Amino acid sequence: MQAARRSGVDVPRAVAFDVLRRVDADDAFANLTLPKALSANKLTGRDAAFATELTYGALRTEGVVDAVIATCASRGLDAIAPEVLTALRLGTYQVLYTRVEAHAAVDTTVRLVEAAGHEKAKGFANGIMRTITRTPAEEWLEQLTPSGEIAALAFRHAHPEWIAHSFARALGDADELEQALEADSQRPIVHLVARPGEITAEELALMTGCEEGKYSPYAVYLEHGDPGSLEPVRQGMAAVQDEGSQLIARAVTEAPLIGDDTGRWLDLCAGPGGKAALMGAIARIDSATVDAIEVSPHRAKLVEKTARDLPVRVHTADGRAPGLEPGFDRILVDAPCSGLGALRRRPEARWRKSESDIKDLTSLQAELLESALNLVRPGGVVVYSTCSPDLRETREIVDAAVAQHSEGAALRIEELDARQLLPDMGNVGSELSAQLWPHRHGTDAMFFAVLRRLAD
């Protein structure tokens, strides 16, 4: 950071470069690293907005930017020093996607290369950047767009092709794919959750000057500002939570049982604790208790912190064999997944994920769901959810479980209509499960299905 400043780079670009390097070298999360960097460098207003645009934009469009750099470079991207490549990505993003003057983008790119200790690469970086600036951005995109409708849409909207195919299969409508990809690249507004029993959404909206949510009775939309600075958040009466996640946690507590609710609820994959806390707040009102399972000790501590002062017992254990006594009334399986439904919140994630990862995840998801079905009592419900619209992680997991536990099986289940547990949200899919989408509902692309265990 200091080297960049000594080389004459302005603070917003220096901050963006530093965050990009941390994301690339340390697998840091941009949405966690950038706010700290903005605060540490006292960036506010337009400068903070510029640093944010450069950081998230360069990460979001990395695949397209890399394609342009590769066309102009005399060597493969893997042969370019990481710091030099980061500087080139930042400069190329400015040329292709912003109104920054070309000479400014070229000059600061070269200065960043110098500041990173690659004096000999200044000419190399200067040559690539000048080559890029000679061709208008739209011509670059037209020249490099691959053939095939889905491949072309993926490139134009800065997504790996396999993710675009995944979305297309889940949507079942190619005409809607472009809307989904476009919305997936928009920066989302912050959703707050008003903790039931502490504060209402109406009160939270009045205290913060924000707007109440459209669907969740606990949701409030924060258009601008730092949620951590809000008094209700500091006091633990509210927290940041996507509205789709709120709806799923609420669905667990409202799904129809057969028989009385004895107040034994379970969150089988609880970290970092948002849904467990909301379930716990509702459980406190309903005189119930939530057991929260988390396999990671670090994340288990986050659950404890998030759900403090609520009737939530945290256990560090594997949800596939948590060692708890069966007989729960309500269980949430918010299964580890690819996270394809929350790409807009982590702009770098789309280029860090691989389709091959899904096969291992689906095995884990099926095992966790099976564990939940054995822990729930006859007449109790299991809500299976993922922050992914990929059919392999959603309907295929649910369909396999329903088929396995159909007539004649020792443990039988039925799928309930999840849509009945939602307000009128328009199109949430044609199955009994519900699939939310950013472009339809303004939420993450959350999925959930409701399964009820039948009498033995």
Side-chain angles (χ1 to χ4, degrees):
M1 179 71 192
Q2 295 304 316
R5 295 293 293 123
R6 287 194 297 270
S7 294
V9 179
D10 57 278
V11 178
R13 286 186 176 90
V15 165
F17 178 79
D18 187 52
V19 174
L20 292 173
R21 284 299 308 133
R22 294 185 187 184
V23 170
D24 187 51
D26 304 329
D27 285 331
F29 290 178
N31 62 340
L32 300 179
T33 306
L34 178 62
K36 294 178 182 177
L38 294 177
S39 177
N41 289 278
K42 298 181 172 57
L43 284 184
T44 58
R46 294 179 63 182
D47 284 344
F50 186 45
T52 299
E53 166 63 19
L54 293 181
T55 303
Y56 286 160
L59 290 170
R60 186 178 61 249
T61 60
E62 185 177 298
V64 178
V65 165
D66 280 1
V68 175
I69 295 171
T71 302
C72 300
S74 57
R75 66 191 78 161
L77 297 186
D78 56 354
I80 301 175
E83 296 84 0
V84 176
L85 182 57
T86 296
L88 288 170
R89 285 169 171 166
L90 186 58
T92 304
Y93 172 74
Q94 293 173 70
V95 172
L96 296 180
Y97 291 99
T98 75
R99 296 180 179 178
V100 171
E101 294 290 339
H103 68 85
V106 173
D107 179 64
T108 52
T109 299
V110 174
R111 290 176 184 270
L112 284 169
V113 169
E114 178 185 34
H118 294 274
E119 180 80 25
K120 294 181 179 180
K122 287 170 58 179
F124 171 74
N126 183 67
I128 289 178
M129 288 302 301
R130 290 193 177 280
T131 300
I132 292 172
T133 60
R134 292 190 193 105
T135 301
E138 190 57 37
E139 288 187 26
W140 275 121
L141 294 177
E142 185 175 344
Q143 175 185 331
L144 296 174
T145 296
S147 60
E149 182 181 3
I150 291 181
L153 283 174
F155 184 80
R156 284 275 177 173
H157 292 281
H159 282 72
E161 185 178 345
W162 74 270
I163 292 180
H165 279 286
S166 169
F167 284 11
R169 287 190 295 268
L171 288 164
D173 182 359
D175 293 338
E176 201 177 351
L177 176 59
E178 185 164 15
Q179 298 175 45
L181 294 175
E182 183 176 358
D184 206 40
S185 291
Q186 300 297 318
R187 286 189 61 204
I189 63 171
V190 173
H191 294 175
L192 301 176
V193 58
R195 180 170 287 176
E198 298 279 352
I199 190 172
T200 67
E202 181 181 13
E203 290 168 339
L204 180 59
L206 288 172
M207 289 177 67
T208 58
C210 298
E211 177 188 355
E212 287 186 62
K214 295 179 182 178
Y215 307 119
S216 166
Y218 317 120
V220 169
Y221 300 155
L222 177 65
E223 296 275 358
H224 307 287
D226 174 17
S229 67
L230 301 175
E231 190 65 25
V233 174
R234 289 203 302 266
Q235 293 182 3
M237 295 187 296
V240 175
Q241 186 176 43
D242 182 77
E243 190 171 15
S245 294
Q246 297 176 38
L247 291 169
I248 290 171
R250 180 172 182 260
V252 179
T253 70
E254 296 197 343
L257 308 175
I258 298 174
D260 294 335
D261 190 335
T262 65
R264 288 192 70 201
W265 301 356
L266 173 64
D267 184 346
L268 199 61
C269 312
K275 294 185 182 69
L278 181 50
M279 287 172 60
I282 298 172
R284 182 172 55 187
I285 296 169
D286 292 351
S287 300
T289 301
V290 179
D291 284 283
I293 306 297
E294 174 51 48
V295 68
S296 162
H298 170 68
R299 286 167 65 86
K301 289 180 180 178
L302 292 178
V303 179
E304 290 177 348
K305 181 179 179 181
T306 303
R308 65 185 181 276
D309 302 326
L310 294 170
V312 177
R313 294 187 294 248
V314 181
H315 310 264
T316 304
D318 189 329
R320 293 171 291 184
L324 297 180
E325 185 70 24
F328 289 94
D329 300 284
R330 304 177 182 277
I331 300 179
L332 170 63
V333 183
D334 187 31
C337 68
S338 63
L340 298 186
L343 294 180
R344 60 192 188 141
R345 300 191 185 277
R346 281 194 58 205
E348 72 276 11
R350 67 189 66 185
W351 308 110
R352 306 295 188 268
K353 297 181 183 294
S354 169
E355 188 166 19
S356 61
D357 298 336
I358 291 181
K359 183 177 180 181
D360 292 336
L361 286 167
T362 55
S363 298
L364 174 60
Q365 291 157 358
E367 291 169 5
L368 287 166
L369 179 53
E370 184 65 19
S371 174
L373 294 173
N374 282 282
L375 287 166
V376 75
R377 67 164 176 82
V381 293
V382 173
V383 171
Y384 172 81
S385 70
T386 64
C387 188
S388 169
D390 192 290
L391 292 176
R392 291 164 291 187
E393 303 183 86
T394 59
R395 279 311 318 176
E396 290 185 15
I397 297 293
V398 174
D399 289 341
V402 171
Q404 180 181 346
H405 296 288
S406 59
E407 196 68 35
L411 190 161
R412 296 181 299 117
I413 62 175
E414 62 178 342
E415 184 174 3
L416 304 182
D417 192 343
R419 299 166 298 183
Q420 296 299 314
L421 299 172
L422 294 173
D424 183 7
M425 300 180 71
N427 185 2
V428 294
S430 58
E431 304 279 356
L432 291 175
S433 52
Q435 178 64 65
L436 309 182
W437 289 95
H439 69 287
R440 290 180 184 170
H441 313 107
T443 67
D444 289 344
M446 303 291 300
F447 166 92
F448 78 101
V450 183
L451 304 174
R452 185 164 62 192
R453 181 171 171 176
L454 300 175
D456 294 338

